[in-house]
Amino acid sequence: MAEYKLPISESQFSENFSPIKPLMSVNEAFYESARCLFCYDAPCVTACPTAIDIPLFIRQINSKNDIGAAKTIYDFNVFGYACGKVCPTEVLCEGACVYNHSDVKPIEIGRLQSYATHKAIISNKQFYQQGDPQHKKVAIVGAGPAGISCACELRKAGYEVDVFEERSLPSGLTVHGVAPYKITNEEVIDEMLYLEKQFGYTIFYNTPINSRDDIERIENNYNAVFLGLGLGETSSLGIPGEDLVNVVGAVEWIEQLRLNHYRLFVPNKVIVLGGGNTAMDAAGESARMGAQSVILAYRRSKEKMGAYRFEYDLAKEAGVKGMFDVLPLEILGDDKVTGVKFIRTLIVDGQIKNLPGSEFTEPCDLVIKATGQSKQVELLKMIGGIQTHPNGTIIVNQSFHTTNPKYFAAGDATSGGQEVVNAVADGKKAAKGMTEYLASL
Ligand code: SF4
């Protein structure tokens, strides 16, 4: 188990958050690519939501055609570099690699992918041309993976595209919400600038679409609108003490960490509430920020956590301790948080039941709530005509068309929260649906 000191400089921060998938050298890429069996009907391809032709790009790397490999990757997934770094490859392509059946380490597909695309980014290799002008305009709300993927496809088809982003940086959770040991801000931004320059869409930063006037403006000026809204703030737990100082939402806290690095103060004792991948990220990051004790508290058993097993193992390696079958009843403190009152739980007929008399208090200085995010319901109400599922996700058809004819949507706002690669795949499919719709106008 690693022990991390409180980082007090950028170099110490970088040391604590050293990449778990570092870039391969030329030699590493050559020898790793040589291990691939170039399978027919390769299961790694089937497991990739963007269906990248993995054996082809690995073969290209092995024949020293790195730029050709990058083109193969980008043809399927414009977030090729980022996905190589942040995808849960252990349960996607690498998890499906045939080598797993022989107890041999699977091919490091993610690292090979980032290796090849990095070559294209640093040499500013231009693969795509903008299509013949269609004289129709699309507004994209949100510069996250779904929005940018959709923008690239629409530009290839010749549509004018403007992207409206409420924050000051592109790529959504890739830059704001992913653990820094997976990908750095610089790496994300390099790929985003590479795409923007190549495809020629315009991003308007610090430009939220959040009023009826904004909506009317884009509806009047654009032929179609794509909503890549992502999810909203961390949901409330509905227990006393949530408004105390040092009780924070996981996505908001991770965003602060990504933007402020070692300057974000993390106290000694941290409790993270939740059992999903965001909880694992927040817990592992707290430990890497030098917290002396990080407890991950989840209301069900370890086996029932929504997080991938490797994410929990990563958090444990950083020093996080799991506490299972416990439910927070109250967050304690006068002004600042001083602890969490829990009760032990039992599962009876599939339902969580509190164990009477089992209450206990766990002291802490920071509570990070990783218990889900709200949906962007207010904006949808303002737009009108967009129906949602009972859980608040936007209803779309197979072309990602919403129930309001002018609007398409994809990404977390329709899925409820998936991986970056799923949002990229869905944004691309939505662009196909939009080109058909725009052609019919
Ligand atoms: Fe190569 Fe593994 Fe994919 Fe086969 S399954 S093509 S060995 S990466």
Side-chain angles (χ1 to χ4, degrees):
M1 187 186 85
E3 274 190 26
Y4 295 93
K5 285 196 187 129
L6 176 76
I8 53 168
S9 66
E10 194 56 33
S11 65
Q12 287 178 1
F13 178 85
S14 301
E15 214 174 288
N16 287 10
F17 285 86
S18 59
I20 55 172
K21 288 185 185 172
L23 266 185
M24 283 180 168
S25 67
V26 174
N27 279 347
E28 279 178 298
F30 179 73
Y31 286 113
E32 185 63 7
S33 60
R35 290 205 302 127
C36 181
L37 303 171
F38 311 119
C39 307
Y40 181 72
D41 270 347
C44 54
V45 178
T46 314
C48 172
T50 53
I52 295 174
D53 192 338
I54 293 166
L56 174 59
F57 91 70
I58 294 181
R59 191 188 289 269
Q60 288 168 311
I61 290 174
N62 195 244
S63 55
K64 306 271 184 185
N65 181 7
D66 297 337
I67 294 296
K71 166 84 168 52
T72 300
I73 296 160
Y74 279 126
D75 280 349
F76 291 89
N77 179 342
V78 289
F79 274 57
Y81 181 86
C83 282
K85 291 264 180 172
V86 308
C87 261
T89 51
E90 294 84 347
V91 293
L92 294 175
C93 53
E94 292 174 19
C97 177
V98 293
Y99 274 127
N100 290 295
H101 303 302
S102 326
D103 263 349
V104 174
K105 187 170 153 270
I107 303 293
E108 289 193 71
I109 300 168
R111 289 183 70 203
L112 285 168
Q113 186 170 307
S114 294
Y115 164 83
T117 46
H118 181 248
K119 296 271 182 197
I121 294 168
I122 57 170
S123 60
N124 195 25
K125 190 75 193 165
Q126 305 287 300
F127 293 125
Y128 306 102
Q129 293 194 333
Q130 294 143 26
D132 293 338
Q134 299 294 319
H135 308 294
K136 286 180 184 150
K137 292 170 71 180
V138 174
I140 292 191
V141 184
I148 296 296
S149 172
C150 184
C152 293
E153 292 303 312
L154 290 170
R155 289 297 296 137
K156 276 200 280 184
Y159 295 99
E160 274 185 60
V161 178
D162 289 336
V163 184
F164 298 94
E165 169 55 48
E166 65 177 357
R167 291 185 164 89
S168 57
L169 293 171
S171 86
L173 280 184
T174 323
V175 80
H176 293 106
V178 173
Y181 44 79
K182 292 181 182 165
I183 194 166
T184 66
N185 293 0
E186 292 73 24
E187 290 172 295
V188 177
I189 299 303
D190 283 352
E191 186 168 56
M192 289 301 101
L193 292 176
Y194 171 67
L195 295 178
E196 192 176 350
K197 202 166 164 191
Q198 186 164 182
F199 288 96
Y201 47 82
T202 306
I203 305 182
F204 296 93
Y205 292 107
N206 304 306
T207 310
I209 301 296
N210 57 11
S211 69
R212 190 58 219 162
D213 282 352
D214 294 334
I215 292 162
E216 277 171 20
R217 182 166 49 86
I218 59 172
E219 286 184 351
N220 291 336
N221 287 301
Y222 297 88
N223 300 93
V225 184
F226 174 84
L227 298 174
L229 304 175
L231 297 173
E233 294 177 350
T234 299
S235 306
S236 166
L237 289 167
I239 60 173
E242 281 189 82
D243 50 358
L244 289 170
V245 174
N246 283 353
V247 179
V248 295
V251 284
E252 294 80 7
W253 184 82
I254 293 171
E255 181 172 1
Q256 288 308 310
L257 177 75
R258 296 252 355 174
L259 298 176
N260 296 304
H261 289 185
Y262 73 94
R263 289 174 289 274
L264 179 73
F265 174 69
V266 176
N268 280 336
K269 289 187 179 171
V270 180
I271 293 179
V272 179
L273 303 173
N277 292 318
T278 306
M280 304 304 130
D281 275 358
E285 288 164 37
S286 302
R288 283 177 161 81
M289 286 297 285
Q292 288 168 8
S293 153
V294 182
I295 292 174
L296 181 85
Y298 182 54
R299 63 200 170 121
R300 292 177 185 264
S301 67
K302 181 166 60 182
E303 293 69 32
K304 292 284 182 193
M305 284 198 297
Y308 297 124
R309 180 70 207 208
F310 73 88
E311 294 280 13
Y312 177 56
D313 290 343
L314 207 56
K316 272 200 313 184
E317 280 166 26
V320 174
K321 290 193 173 60
M323 189 165 76
F324 300 100
D325 300 304
V326 292
L327 190 74
L329 293 176
E330 183 178 355
I331 300 174
L332 306 168
D334 290 330
D335 171 30
K336 285 184 182 175
V337 61
T338 56
V340 180
K341 183 177 176 187
F342 288 101
I343 189 164
R344 298 196 187 281
T345 58
L346 289 170
I347 303 297
V348 180
D349 297 331
Q351 301 291 314
I352 298 177
K353 302 276 184 208
N354 295 346
L355 188 63
S358 67
E359 294 89 344
F360 68 99
T361 297
E362 193 66 46
C364 68
D365 317 301
L366 174 67
V367 172
I368 303 178
K369 298 183 292 177
T371 44
Q373 287 170 262
S374 60
K375 311 294 185 305
Q376 311 267 26
V377 282
E378 289 310 314
L379 177 63
L380 299 180
K381 268 192 218 152
M382 250 187 267
I383 293 171
I386 295 183
Q387 291 175 9
T388 57
H389 293 285
N391 69 359
T393 53
I394 300 172
I395 294 175
V396 288
N397 67 11
Q398 284 190 329
S399 305
F400 291 86
H401 209 163
T402 74
T403 46
N404 179 328
K406 195 155 188 155
Y407 285 82
F408 288 71
D412 284 354
T414 58
S415 70
Q418 281 188 309
E419 303 298 334
V420 170
V421 67
N422 300 102
V424 173
D426 291 350
K428 187 174 180 178
K429 287 179 204 152
K432 189 166 179 293
M434 290 184 95
T435 55
E436 284 162 14
Y437 168 75
L438 289 162
S440 72
L441 291 181

